[in-house]
Amino acid sequence: MKEKLCKKILGFLLASLLLLTVSPPAFADMGPKPSVTLRLYIYNDQNYAVTLLGNTESTGPWSAPSAYGDWMGSREVWEAFQAYDAPEGYYFLGYFEEYFGDTEQTFTWGYYPPQKFYVLLYNMDTGVFSISKEPVQRYAFDSEWQVLFDPEDGWMHVYTNRTDSDQISLFTSRLLITLILELALGALVFGLREKAQQNLIGGVNLATQLALNLVLHYGLFYLGPWAGFALYAGMEVLVFAVEASAYCRWLPWPEGKTPCPVLYALTANLLSFGVGWLLNEHLTNAQIRWLSLAALFLWYTVPKLAGKTCLFKQNAQENDKRL
């Protein structure tokens, strides 16, 4: 009976997931678009214009050769970029921004930026161009670089802030918090305290959370927020279905208690989802890392302290009886 119920629930969830994946897409040109952001560090009292030389002759509304529009900015600057002898296979697409004074600036191409490009600076005071040594390529839906420029010798260095170690440590912290939350819920609410029970819960969670976070990372990082959230919603349903099915089949339930593996899987996933949302809204990545360490410390120390307290009370009661 229990296995039939689990199969029906699993079938319903998989059907819901299928509906999510085959829903017709919306083709209206709305919602998030890829972007390229440059953090510019140019320290002198001269004025610059910045553009990207793309590796295609058109991208979205931008194209080469471009037609000048008053909304673009200075016509003189546009003509200078238009006349620049770009590297073979790269083109000025019409989009540029102007910067004045000795300050750190941000250049953002937020509507159909080129996939691969050179960074090109134009000194509006001297008429001198400076170009990055090599082309760079968008690495994510929202890609960001820092541009260091030395005006004296024309040296330019373009590099990204993305570090794999930061992503791995943050992923590990989130995974650790999720595991401890679901294990604690099982132990405190459902009585799942035995080693075999916690090993199964931990193993199943480890597998499903790895898959969920990899898909979420891929979706948000490469496809953008809307596509990423759609994948995330489908994966959450699939994770619940897999965990509920695994618990129905293999999780040994405490003696004397009515088995409710589906309820546990649902409650655990809702709890981890809610806590994860709160962490994203109210804590920085550094605070999340510290919280995971605190949770790990409490997970190992609290049961030991509780065990010692119970043992102390038991010994005290025995001594009182002897007296």
Side-chain angles (χ1 to χ4, degrees):
M1 183 68 180
K2 184 177 71 172
E3 289 186 1
K4 289 183 178 180
L5 177 62
C6 288
K7 287 181 180 179
K8 289 181 179 179
I9 294 174
L10 180 59
F12 171 76
L13 293 173
L14 290 177
S16 301
L17 179 62
L18 181 61
L19 287 176
L20 285 174
T21 58
V22 301
S23 298
F27 291 99
D29 189 17
M30 58 185 293
K33 297 290 187 297
S35 69
V36 165
T37 300
L38 305 180
R39 307 292 178 184
L40 303 168
Y41 298 91
I42 306 172
Y43 298 109
N44 64 6
D45 294 325
Q46 296 176 333
N47 304 315
Y48 288 86
V50 183
T51 190
L52 307 179
L53 302 178
N55 64 330
T56 58
E57 295 188 33
S58 65
T59 173
W62 312 104
S63 62
S66 63
Y68 176 74
D70 293 337
W71 53 271
M72 289 182 174
S74 167
R75 186 180 186 93
E76 180 183 355
V77 172
W78 176 86
E79 290 176 348
F81 279 133
Q82 191 75 12
Y84 179 76
D85 186 17
E88 183 178 358
Y90 287 82
Y91 310 91
F92 171 60
L93 300 170
Y95 181 79
F96 63 92
E97 293 181 7
E98 302 172 27
Y99 301 96
F100 305 91
D102 184 14
T103 57
E104 297 177 5
Q105 303 283 359
T106 299
F107 169 91
T108 300
W109 191 323
Y111 194 72
Y112 290 100
Q115 179 68 30
K116 192 174 183 180
F117 54 85
Y118 281 92
V119 178
L120 181 63
L121 302 181
Y122 173 64
N123 189 319
M124 295 184 286
D125 297 331
T126 64
V128 175
F129 286 96
S130 300
I131 189 171
S132 55
K133 293 182 178 180
E134 297 179 350
V136 292
Q137 185 166 345
R138 281 169 33 206
Y139 59 85
F141 189 83
D142 297 304
S143 303
E144 181 176 321
W145 287 269
Q146 289 189 357
V147 178
L148 304 182
F149 178 63
D150 185 351
E152 293 185 1
D153 59 10
W155 177 85
M156 185 193 305
H157 180 50
V158 181
Y159 65 97
T160 177
N161 287 328
R162 182 184 63 168
T163 60
D164 293 335
S165 58
D166 287 343
Q167 296 295 325
I168 292 172
S169 66
L170 184 60
F171 164 73
T172 304
S173 298
R174 294 180 186 278
L175 177 62
L176 187 60
I177 292 172
T178 299
L179 287 175
I180 291 175
L181 276 175
E182 300 203 9
L183 286 170
L185 176 70
L188 297 175
V189 178
F190 293 90
L192 302 170
R193 302 185 182 92
E194 298 296 328
K195 187 175 181 180
Q197 295 166 336
Q198 294 201 346
N199 285 343
L200 177 66
I201 294 171
V204 171
N205 264 276
L206 183 62
T208 56
Q209 291 303 314
L210 280 171
L212 174 64
N213 280 274
L214 286 173
V215 171
L216 178 61
H217 177 79
Y218 173 82
L220 291 177
F221 202 69
Y222 293 102
L223 303 180
W226 285 19
F229 290 145
L231 281 175
Y232 181 54
M235 283 297 296
E236 279 285 5
V237 175
L238 182 59
V239 163
F240 168 52
V242 170
E243 291 184 358
S245 178
Y247 297 155
C248 284
R249 188 175 183 84
W250 294 299
L251 182 62
W253 210 256
E255 293 183 8
K257 289 192 174 184
T258 303
C260 46
V262 175
L263 178 62
Y264 167 64
L266 177 62
T267 308
N269 278 278
L270 289 176
L271 175 65
S272 59
F273 176 82
V275 171
W277 180 81
L278 290 174
L279 294 181
N280 289 335
E281 288 292 318
H282 301 290
L283 297 184
T284 64
N285 290 343
Q287 290 171 331
I288 291 174
R289 292 185 180 97
W290 282 110
L291 179 63
S292 69
L293 293 176
L296 183 63
F297 174 77
L298 292 173
W299 175 254
Y300 280 104
T301 56
V302 170
K304 291 181 179 179
L305 292 175
K308 289 181 179 179
T309 302
C310 291
L311 182 61
F312 176 78
K313 289 182 179 180
Q314 183 179 357
N315 292 336
Q317 290 174 356
E318 292 178 356
N319 291 333
D320 290 339
K321 289 180 180 179
R322 291 173 184 174
L323 294 175

